[in-house]
Amino acid sequence: MWQHEINVQGPYDFERVLDRMSLDPLVVMDQQALRLSLPFEYQKKQAVHITFTGSKTEPSFKIEGTADQSEALQFVQRVLQLERGLHDIHDHFKESTLKTIFEAHAGTPLVLEPSPYSCLVKSVIHQQLNMSFAATLTERFVKTFGEQVDGVWFYPDPETVASIPVETLRDMQFSQRKAEYLIGIGEKISSGELDLSALSEKDDETVIKELVKIRGIGPWTAQSVLLFGFGRMDIFLPADIGIQNALKKHFQLDEKPALNEMEKWQKDWRPYSSYASLYLWRSIETGK
């Protein structure tokens, strides 16, 4: 097994990373030991292990794996956003309307899903469900049709999803439409009609335009893929209920904000609207 040390510019609060990732029962971690294991697929399916060895102000990480070291390190840096420091982002929000939220959650990075594909599938499952049941349904789906390798879980590949009978998903408490959506997405990816790798090279507007053509994918899901699948920095989800509730609380509004109000506020947050989205979610999840 190889080991590699990575140092990044602070702030970076790995405890908060694990706290947010703990909402997903499929994530393998030891919060006390500050250790996280991620599913990584390059030439084969394998686990990559990350242990936090530094501090919030001087972050460092020990990365361990069994193969494909260069690619695995790139993967970890992309998923945990170690490629870019958070200093410039926090400076940007110091004088913004979200200043107090950013002070409360300083050092929280935007952590991506292991792959755009798993992000898409997870986002479709989570559509219009409360977080707890969505997590349960996703776990049930992955553990039934996916694969566990080196102790971590991999989402079922598109070919497997395409072959699942609708009735099987219905028996697992998926709605008829959501079952059809997932199977249809599996079919489009396995046939090559939907190429997420090629799509990742397109601009935000093109990605949304292409994804919403697919049955079961609306703007919210397309934006979620941009945010947590491709790691785009200027994505804001005005239709997300959690974000609406966070803004209502933050600005002490009597009702949820209107779209034009959110569009006006977003001008102050660009080009880092993705972090505005993340920190608003955190303010609801933690009550801070």
Side-chain angles (χ1 to χ4, degrees):
M1 176 178 283
W2 54 262
Q3 292 186 2
H4 185 84
E5 192 83 13
I6 294 179
N7 299 294
V8 299
Q9 182 181 12
Y12 193 106
D13 195 330
F14 195 64
E15 290 188 39
R16 286 180 173 167
V17 169
L18 295 182
D19 182 54
R20 187 158 208 270
M21 294 185 78
S22 69
L23 299 173
D24 185 342
L26 290 167
V27 174
V28 177
M29 66 172 69
D30 183 335
Q31 286 187 270
Q32 187 172 0
L34 298 178
R35 181 176 169 87
L36 170 69
S37 298
L38 294 174
F40 169 59
E41 185 171 6
Y42 179 59
Q43 295 180 331
K44 66 175 184 176
K45 293 177 180 177
Q46 56 192 287
V48 180
H49 309 285
I50 303 100
T51 304
F52 189 62
T53 56
S55 64
K56 179 178 175 180
T57 54
E58 296 183 3
S60 59
F61 304 82
K62 180 176 71 175
I63 316 298
E64 299 171 286
T66 57
D68 307 311
Q69 180 174 350
S70 177
E71 291 78 11
L73 290 173
Q74 291 178 37
F75 164 76
V76 170
Q77 290 179 304
R78 181 184 69 84
V79 170
L80 296 182
Q81 296 289 281
L82 303 182
E83 299 167 316
R84 70 184 92 224
L86 301 180
H87 184 75
D88 290 344
I89 294 169
H90 282 280
D91 275 353
H92 177 79
F93 283 95
K94 276 182 180 178
E95 306 302 323
S96 77
T97 53
L98 298 181
K99 175 183 177 181
T100 56
I101 289 179
F102 271 77
E103 289 174 344
H105 300 279
T108 305
L110 175 67
V111 176
L112 307 189
E113 291 294 322
S115 71
Y117 167 67
S118 63
C119 180
L120 175 58
V121 172
K122 181 179 180 179
S123 297
V124 170
I125 294 174
H126 279 236
Q127 287 174 169
Q128 299 179 324
L129 296 178
N130 68 64
M131 186 176 294
S132 176
F133 182 61
T136 298
L137 203 58
T138 306
E139 180 183 22
R140 190 178 299 162
F141 177 79
V142 173
K143 289 187 175 180
T144 301
F145 304 108
E147 183 180 8
Q148 189 177 35
V149 178
D150 296 338
V152 295
W153 282 98
F154 289 81
Y155 276 65
D157 59 48
E159 291 77 15
T160 298
V161 175
S163 68
I164 301 172
V166 171
E167 295 75 17
T168 301
L169 292 178
R170 294 286 288 124
D171 290 342
M172 296 171 65
Q173 292 186 282
F174 283 86
S175 69
Q176 178 77 20
R177 285 188 177 181
K178 190 162 291 189
E180 293 172 356
Y181 296 161
L182 288 169
I183 294 166
I185 289 169
E187 291 171 345
K188 287 188 180 297
I189 294 177
S190 58
S191 71
E193 185 177 345
L194 174 58
D195 185 338
L196 291 173
S197 179
L199 202 58
S200 69
E201 303 297 325
K202 308 294 185 181
D203 61 73
D204 296 348
E205 186 177 343
T206 301
V207 172
I208 293 174
K209 183 179 178 180
E210 291 301 313
L211 285 178
V212 297
K213 291 178 181 178
I214 299 171
R215 184 168 179 252
I217 300 179
W220 181 89
T221 300
Q223 290 170 325
S224 294
V225 172
L226 282 169
L227 188 58
F228 295 113
F230 297 157
R232 302 292 171 86
M233 286 291 101
D234 199 28
I235 304 300
F236 186 67
L237 292 80
D240 185 88
I241 295 174
I243 286 178
Q244 292 175 1
N245 287 332
L247 289 169
K248 178 184 176 183
K249 177 183 177 182
H250 179 67
F251 289 112
Q252 300 181 332
L253 305 175
D254 293 328
E255 298 179 351
K256 292 178 183 177
L259 180 61
N260 63 337
E261 287 181 290
M262 290 187 280
E263 289 175 345
K264 181 177 66 176
W265 294 329
Q266 188 187 0
K267 293 177 182 178
D268 187 34
W269 307 332
R270 285 181 162 158
Y272 302 119
S273 298
S274 296
Y275 271 83
S277 299
L278 173 66
Y279 280 54
L280 286 166
W281 277 317
R282 288 304 288 155
S283 72
I284 287 293
E285 292 164 0
T286 63
K288 296 179 182 179

